[in-house]
């Protein structure tokens, strides 16, 4: 009897739609990529220097499974200072290899096969596959451009069943750049309380807001005890390659995540953890990068308007998510033809969920010069469609 060598849960999932476009673009010349969700800045020098010093001093060992206590203390202090929410560095903060690992641990720590998890879409590409890998069932709630891609408590309520165990929140949002109003979050918190749900709040773009501050979900009344906050250094500190993230939450849940982490990962790299301590100390460079993203955001919005693409104003992260519905192309056709004719990479909205069809994601994590050139090329592409 022949049986599949690959587990069903894995074979049913497509590879990431984002990577496909990078693979094509890599073989082309003079390409401008608005595709990659990654800062174009190099990690600030003082952070790199801290890593070099760590190596020079011979820090090459494992750390505690929890991560360096000094880093956990620095995270705890920074969280308390910024939001007023206190996490005990001893056992309420776990250092992981990026938010990617923290997300996987959080889902695996709380879900049993058959449990349902509410996800809002369009959403970051990992939530659905990582939920399916646990044997749980993703339940997708659509958000809408006309409504600022915000999630409403009523929409969550409409998707609840006896099996609903958790909600994954991601604001500021990838791919839309949307942020939430405190009032909307408070209404969602009421639903979480009523239905005894766990909320996994991916706040990796929490520092990157341009119009109003981000409200951490765990800062809302009663939410600290039912929220796992995910955050990390990749985006705000331009440290994608260092692979440092962290989870903060109630000790029983963080303890369960730690159990998995100690067997599958052991610990995050020590030199990167030491660099992350410096990142929290020296925030001026980060603030400078945020100011530059804001300038690019305005440039992008103006440019999209000028070439005739309707775009909701993103207030966080570094993505714009314009509608391409007026072109009559699918988002995949649009992205492919734009790449082939004008050598600009954008990501089809459909990779972020069905309701992302009719949109494209443009990351403005490139220089203003490249951004202007990319918009000019997109304008020429749109003219060619007329
Ligand atoms: N969460 C969101 C919403 C993201 O956009 C990304 C990366 O693009 C990640 C998590 C993964 O981050 P990390 O580099 O910390 O693994």
């Amino acid at each position: 009897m022949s049986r599949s060598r690959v587990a069903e849960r894995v074979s049913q999932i497509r590879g990431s739609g984002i990577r496909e476009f990078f693979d094509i673009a890599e073989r082309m010349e003079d390409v401008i990529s608005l595709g990659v969700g990654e800062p174009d800045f190099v990690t600030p020098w003082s952070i790199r220097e801290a890593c070099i010093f760590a190596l020079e001093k011979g820090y090459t060992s494992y750390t505690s499974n929890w991560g360096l206590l000094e880093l956990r203390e620095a995270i705890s202090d920074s969280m308390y200072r910024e939001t007023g929410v206190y996490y005990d560095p001893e056992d309420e903060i776990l250092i992981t290899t990026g938010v990617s690992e923290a997300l996987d641990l959080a889902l695996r720590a709380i879900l049993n096969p058959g449990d349902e998890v509410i996800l809002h879409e369009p959403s970051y590409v990992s939530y659905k596959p990582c939920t399916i890998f646990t044997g749980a069932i993703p339940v997708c709630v659509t958000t809408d451009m006309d409504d600022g891609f915000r999630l409403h408590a009523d929409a969550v309520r409409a998707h609840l069943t006896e099996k609903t165990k958790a909600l994954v929140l991601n604001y500021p949002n990838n791919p839309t750049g949307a942020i939430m109003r405190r009032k909307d979050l408070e209404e969602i918190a009421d639903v979480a309380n009523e239905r005894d749900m766990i909320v996994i709040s991916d706040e990796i773009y929490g520092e990157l807001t341009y119009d109003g501050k981000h409200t951490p979900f765990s800062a809302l009344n009663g939410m600290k005890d039912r929220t796992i906050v995910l955050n990390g250094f990749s985006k705000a500190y331009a440290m994608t390659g260092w692979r440092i993230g962290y989870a903060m939450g109630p000790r029983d849940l963080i303890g369960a995540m730690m159990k998995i982490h100690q067997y599958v990962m052991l610990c995050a790299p020590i030199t990167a953890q030491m660099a992350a301590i410096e990142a929290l100390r020296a925030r001026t460079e980060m603030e400078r990068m945020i100011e530059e993203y804001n300038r690019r955001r305005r440039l992008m919005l103006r440019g999209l308007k000028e070439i005739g693409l309707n775009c909701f104003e993103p207030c966080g992260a570094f993505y714009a998510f314009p509608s391409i519905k007026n072109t009559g192309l699918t988002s995949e056709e649009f992205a492919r033809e734009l790449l082939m004719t004008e050598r600009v990479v954008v990501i089809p909205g459909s990779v972020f969920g069905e309701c992302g069809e009719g949109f494209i994601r443009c990351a403005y994590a490139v220089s203003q010069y490249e951004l202007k050139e990319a918009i000019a090329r997109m304008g020429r592409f749109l003219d060619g469609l007329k």
Side-chain angles (χ1 to χ4, degrees), residues 35-52:
V36 63
E38 171 163 14
D40 59 321
F41 299 108
V42 176
T43 307
W45 170 243
S46 73
I47 301 175
R48 284 183 277 154
E49 201 177 31
C51 173
I52 295 166

Side-chain angles (χ1 to χ4, degrees), residues 11 13-14 46 84 111 131 213 227 243 309 323 331 362 378:
S11 57
I13 285 169
R14 269 185 68 188
S46 73
L111 296 173
T131 301
K213 242 183 148 199
T227 304
R243 312 309 302 129
L309 291 184
S323 166
S331 61
C362 307
M378 284 167 75

Side-chain angles (χ1 to χ4, degrees), residues 120 122-124 127 149 170-179 205 316-317 319:
H120 53 92
S123 75
Y124 176 53
Y127 301 139
F149 293 109
N170 172 224
Y171 290 96
N173 180 257
N174 174 7
T176 63
I179 59 173
Y205 297 102
Y319 307 106

